[in-house]
Amino acid sequence: MKPASFKYILARTLDDALAAKTEHGDEARFLAGGQSLVPTMNFRLAQPAILIDINPIAALSGVRDGASIRIGALTRYRMLEADPLIAARQPILREALPHIAHPQIRNRGTLGGNLAHADPASEMPAIMLALGARMRLQSAANDRWVDANDFFVSAMETALRPDEMLTEIDIPDSPPGTGTCFMEVARRQGDFAQAGVAAIVTLGADGKCGGVRLAFCGVAERPFHADAAAQSLIGGDGSDDSFRQAAELAMAALNPPGSTHASAGYQRHLAGVLARRALTTAHARATTEVRRDH
Amino acid sequence: METRYFGASVKRNEDQRLLTGQALFIDDIELPGMLHAAVLRSAVAHGRIVTVDVSAALKREGVVAAYTAQDLGDFWQPGPLLVPPPPIEGSVFNLRTHACLAKDKVRYAGEPLAIVIAADRYIAEDALADIVVDIEILPALVDLEAALAKGAALVHEDLGSNIAAHIHQGKGDYARAASRADHIIKRRFLYEHGISSPIETRGIVVQWDARGGQLTMWDTTQAPVFVRNGLAAVFGLSERQVRVIAPFVGGGFGPKIMMFYPEELLLPWAAMQLNRPIKWIEDRLEHFVATTHERGQVHDSKIALTKDGKILGVKDVFLHDSGAYDPYGLTVPINSQCTLLGPYVIPDYDSTFTCVFTNLPIVTPYRGAGRQHGVFVIERLLDIAAHELGIDPAEIRRRNLIPPDAFPYDNEIIYQDFAPLSYDSGDYEPVLDKALSAIGYAGFKDEQAAARAKGKHLGIAVAAYVEGTGIGPYEGARVQVQANGRVSVATGIGTQGQGHYTVFAQIVADQVGCDVRDVDVVTGDTDRFHWGAGTFASRGAVVAGNAVNEASKVVRQKILTLAAEHFECAEGDLELGQGQVSIVGVRGQAIRLSELAQKANPMRGAVKPGAEPGLESTQYFGPPSGATASGVHAMIVEVDPETFTLAIRKYVIVHDCGTVINPLILAGQIIGGAAQGIGNAFYEKLMYDDAGQLLNASLADYLLPTSLDVPRFVLDHTVTPSPLNPLGIKGAGEAGAIPAGPLFAQAIEDALGFKAKGIELLEIPLSPARLWELTQQAG
Amino acid sequence: MTTERHAISVTVNGVRHDKTVEARMLLSDFIRHELLLSGTHVGCEHGVCGACTIWFDGFPARSCLMFAVQADGHDIATVEGLADNDKLSPLQQAMHEAHGLQCGYCTPGILMTMSHFLASNPAPDEQAVREALSGNLCRCTGYQHIVDAVLLAAERMRG
Ligand SMILES: Cc1cc2nc3c(=O)[nH]c(=O)nc-3n(C[C@H](O)[C@H](O)[C@H](O)COP(=O)(O)OP(=O)(O)OC[C@H]3O[C@@H](n4cnc5c(N)ncnc54)[C@H](O)[C@@H]3O)c2cc1C
Ligand code: FES
Ligand code: FES
């Protein structure tokens, strides 16, 4: 299991990296944490002719505060786990991170690499979808922002063009009175999820559900947002029944692919169970938030 | 003899090297001029080979050679039979062994087609992609029953069927049992065992010294002496011209003993062609298809009982998956057949099995070696019987245990070692009692109800087993006191982490009276010890341990004789200890072992006729038959009734493997085995599609249990020494792995109230997804 | 095919090594076969088993999922650097005493993972130890004695 030959380009600046990518297009791949790319190369499932190593580009790394949170694409999971801003403002991210692999892998893997890889079983894309994050895609000639919903196209397929790099992720703050919850079922700690769900519930001033987001990983070709299920809860008071019904709606909307370890039927079933549980927890957390605010 | 070390938790002698990264494993060997090999394996499970063309590979820079079956000439031969079938009357055994490269047909995905030798492994892998292969695809046989159906494709056409073997054994008369029975239960069971998946894969480094006519092969084998003998025979060399060394080996668990793996012949052959050292390290992807598996059996079983739960008889008919070839004979299914009897009185037993050739990798023993399959059948039958007869599951087991006064207990059938299956000694009820008390069996119903009130679903299980261990034929050992005072021990077995360096040292140190750290154990180097069979069937400590003991006793006697001469006193006045011999009660009168060793090899002076030089002895030990260990495992699980994920709340193991040499090392063996049992029961499954393709050939998809999946085990043991060897020990290497299957099935059924819902768990491995499916089917 | 070679300078266990490597050479192969520090083991080459765990700039990482060229100018620690001459580190010593290793193949990776863990978690409970350990597969021990060893080492290191 040794990788095929490739040409190695060390990019010290963003401009260098983008120039190289413009020159080589699909022939070249960025090397970020390498935690998805290198295993696929070792299996020779991927044989890129050129790797552009972006690890030295310090500007691509870090969490920046503002009206929203901005995360550099090269920010490693480890840094996100330890970041106080993330813990305070996006606890769902903090809650999901330990589900990704193991510390040794989180010490290398990057948020940008994860999202660009677009594994439908991965936690982060579903969370970005739930949070309504935006991706900054830059090329030597262009600089654009794309919504998470448009970024994830299909399994391992994104809106990235051959000359573009994902450089930054922008996560809007949730309104006050929001509770979140991430849950998944994996065969072992650190395995990709058989089904996972990110639930976000925002309570209005009247205590009723004002906004609900419900995104799944592992159960579709791309991260999946259950629109009808989320919609069904709006204006409701978050009863067990309403969550049960929302879970049913989500299940009805899903058509999971099945995997070696989980039949499609089991995945759909899991998605329903997890949706109900995560919504319940997110709602309870939102309620606590509201109480704390008063 | 004082027993300072025997029975004590002595820390391991081998650890220092392993902890500091200094131990030599196969891939650590670097030789000048060494080349690297990669093997092209068939992507197709069953097909006729049209072409394997290596010409493009040969043109690649850095490639030194590439060979196909055609290039091997006369060297191309189907391999030998490793373990002949036991002499059971009326048996059918069709031997079909593999050659090192497939020639006309491929019979499983992963079968070697060509080998490339290159400057490094990277280039060798590049060159694999250059090889042009054309295979005409034939239908793949994956399912056992389908393989036996009329008109099925044939794995070996000349045989006319896919039957690899057909064996019947029994005792008494099952028809009689059935006619007397109050209750008969009939079920179909499926049991699959997976792959051993040691963290170190296989590997070989070989060096041919053409001038000296000397072949040296480092090999991750569990049986170096066998490999040495086989290589000598194949290459027409004398056994002294071949040296096989098993260095530190990163786990084996059975499959590292198959002989010959294709690479074990291809590498030395190529090294001789090229006159260069060659290394081949199996990668993880290859390991899934190139190292042997254990896999599955389908049992149709019946049990006849009285209404109070006494077993009258068992009838079992099963199919066993041999894989594409059967070089390892019948060890696995015979173990299943024999171990099904368990610790129970089963007056009438009728067992028939058919081994089936399939288009899947070869099946050979993996820790437990078929015993799991048999234990699953009997333990599940007893659970179902307990339920249907309204008897407590622990109680029905108790009622059927072989009583302590019945040993040796003759089961009237033949075991894998060709000897009659006779249990040497045992006392089973105390083992059961200890397990029940440790798990809190009596109070569990209340605990379960209380947990249930809080929405938690707990379930309990208890399962028993016996294990035939420590079989022959023999092992040997040479013990020598060196002139520097250290004692060396050499045996022919290989070692893969079982602590042999330490347990053998303990035996020697007690006999010759030295510090255990002053004993250097060498295993697995055929130049250091020429004879032996290998490490398998939980036999290393039993058989080689006793050989070490015998040799140590002789050395001890030599020490005493020589020291008595030296002091001009009676041997009875002497005492051995702290690396010296002293006169009892006389201070200052002592001689070091080092000095005695020098005296035993004098430069001058008269030596008595017949005296042997040195404080050295080589002795052999062969038990008349295997020693039978036993145990009971008990477990409490919590199952999420919606997701079907599971957590083990408590796991108790009580076992009896005779006299214990080193409790800490033994605990390690038992716990390690139990972790593999858990993997087998709930995590590990080789998933094949209809075309015979393995769908989960990676450690991300083949789920070895992690530290979070394996609980803390509560261990206890009882001691019933084996009368079959002077040390009284029984093997323990496999015990922990055996009963996890029935334990999981029983505990999950209990936790989720499956009995009431009419759901029965009749298969292993289980998984959350599978449990969900079963509940769906039940509606 | 490009067989371009890259000059790299890597510090391993405090010692600087200057070598040239092909871009595709895995860091694990570089450490083992170029620097001949064969204590770092390889069990899967796809990031799952953990046997190849080293410290890269002070943090545990899978050396099978990095290229040697990426280590240029960086600092690596391997199992060979843990003991102080012949004196085992507290974790190594505890592994010996608690019988935390059998075949020892997984051991270097486990030592690298868990010594880092202990450095930042001086008083872990069993569950925390098991979580930290879960990225290292051991097929021999069933983990219990490794967990015991880590807890023992933690206790001793707290003094
Ligand atoms: C054993 C193991 C278990 C794992 N378990 C999980 C898990 O449970 N959940 C999970 O989500 N992940 C898991 N992963 C994958 C891990 O999260 C990866 O780190 C992640 O998917 C990729 O991030 P990376 O930085 O390592 O990217 P790389 O591997 O470097 O790159 C991945 C892909 O993205 C491209 N790329 C990288 N950065 C950019 C960029 N800025 N712009 C454009 N393209 C880019 C690369 O060219 C490549 O095609 C696991 C990995 C391993 C080895
Ligand atoms: S060899 Fe790197 S994780 Fe297994
Ligand atoms: S001790 Fe053998 S793999 Fe861990």
Side-chain angles (χ1 to χ4, degrees), chain B residues 542-612:
Chain B
V542 184
V543 189
N546 272 287
V548 169
N549 188 44
E550 294 306 316
S552 308
K553 284 199 288 200
V554 176
V555 171
R556 176 187 177 82
Q557 185 53 49
K558 287 187 175 179
I559 294 170
L560 286 170
T561 308
L562 194 61
E565 268 173 38
H566 171 75
F567 289 123
E568 297 180 348
C569 70
E571 286 174 21
D573 296 335
L574 295 172
E575 177 173 71
L576 273 65
Q578 288 158 342
Q580 59 183 19
V581 188
S582 46
I583 303 180
V584 182
V586 184
R587 289 190 103 212
Q589 282 286 29
I591 181 165
R592 310 275 330 151
L593 288 179
S594 50
E595 210 176 314
L596 277 174
Q598 286 159 29
K599 277 186 184 297
N601 187 22
M603 287 285 286
R604 293 284 186 281
V607 170
K608 286 196 191 120
E612 294 171 12

Side-chain angles (χ1 to χ4, degrees), chain B residues 282-424:
Chain B
E282 180 184 61
D283 67 32
R284 185 56 62 180
L285 186 56
E286 291 183 281
H287 180 78
F288 279 96
V289 298
T291 288
T292 54
H293 298 171
E294 191 162 293
R295 291 204 309 274
Q297 293 175 356
V298 184
H299 288 250
D300 285 302
S301 319
K302 285 188 222 171
I303 187 167
L305 309 111
T306 66
K307 61 179 175 307
D308 54 2
K310 276 269 190 189
I311 304 172
L312 297 172
V314 169
K315 181 167 179 158
D316 184 39
V317 177
F318 71 93
L319 300 179
H320 168 80
D321 180 355
S322 285
Y325 303 94
D326 56 358
Y328 214 105
L330 299 174
T331 303
V332 174
I334 295 264
N335 273 344
S336 311
Q337 180 170 61
C338 289
T339 311
L340 186 146
L341 291 166
Y344 307 116
V345 175
I346 300 182
D348 296 310
Y349 183 44
D350 186 316
S351 167
T352 309
F353 66 82
T354 303
C355 297
V356 184
F357 284 122
T358 57
N359 292 119
L360 298 173
I362 299 168
V363 165
T364 73
Y366 155 40
R367 202 175 201 169
R371 296 182 182 89
Q372 282 91 333
H373 305 64
V375 169
F376 185 67
V377 172
I378 190 68
E379 291 298 305
R380 286 275 66 198
L381 285 171
L382 284 174
D383 287 338
I384 296 164
H387 175 68
E388 295 189 357
L389 295 170
I391 303 170
D392 176 79
E395 177 57 24
I396 200 168
R397 288 173 166 84
R398 184 188 304 280
R399 286 182 195 173
N400 286 291
L401 293 177
I402 298 168
D405 57 8
F407 294 90
Y409 184 83
D410 185 1
N411 276 302
E412 299 169 42
I413 60 175
I414 291 179
Y415 193 46
Q416 55 151 313
D417 59 352
F418 298 14
L421 179 67
S422 170
Y423 299 167
D424 56 336

Side-chain angles (χ1 to χ4, degrees), chain A residues 133-151:
Chain A
R134 294 183 311 144
M135 318 290 160
R136 183 175 184 185
L137 312 186
Q138 282 180 269
S139 69
N142 235 320
D143 189 347
R144 60 181 181 133
W145 286 91
V146 175
D147 285 345
N149 194 33
D150 300 320
F151 180 75

Side-chain angles (χ1 to χ4, degrees), chain A residues 29-30 32-37 77 101 110 113-114 116 122-123 166 190 192:
Chain A
R29 295 246 207 139
F30 293 120
Q35 304 299 291
S36 290
L37 184 55
Y77 298 125
T110 68
N114 175 303
S122 172
E123 295 80 1
L166 167 59
F192 280 100

Side-chain angles (χ1 to χ4, degrees), chain B residues 687-720:
Chain B
M687 306 207 201
Y688 278 97
D689 69 8
D690 293 344
Q693 295 295 328
L694 183 58
L695 301 175
N696 58 332
S698 86
L699 287 185
D701 297 315
Y702 185 83
L703 310 174
L704 303 184
T706 72
S707 53
L708 289 167
D709 307 313
V710 175
R712 175 165 289 277
F713 297 90
V714 179
L715 255 60
D716 200 354
H717 68 272
T718 62
V719 176
T720 317

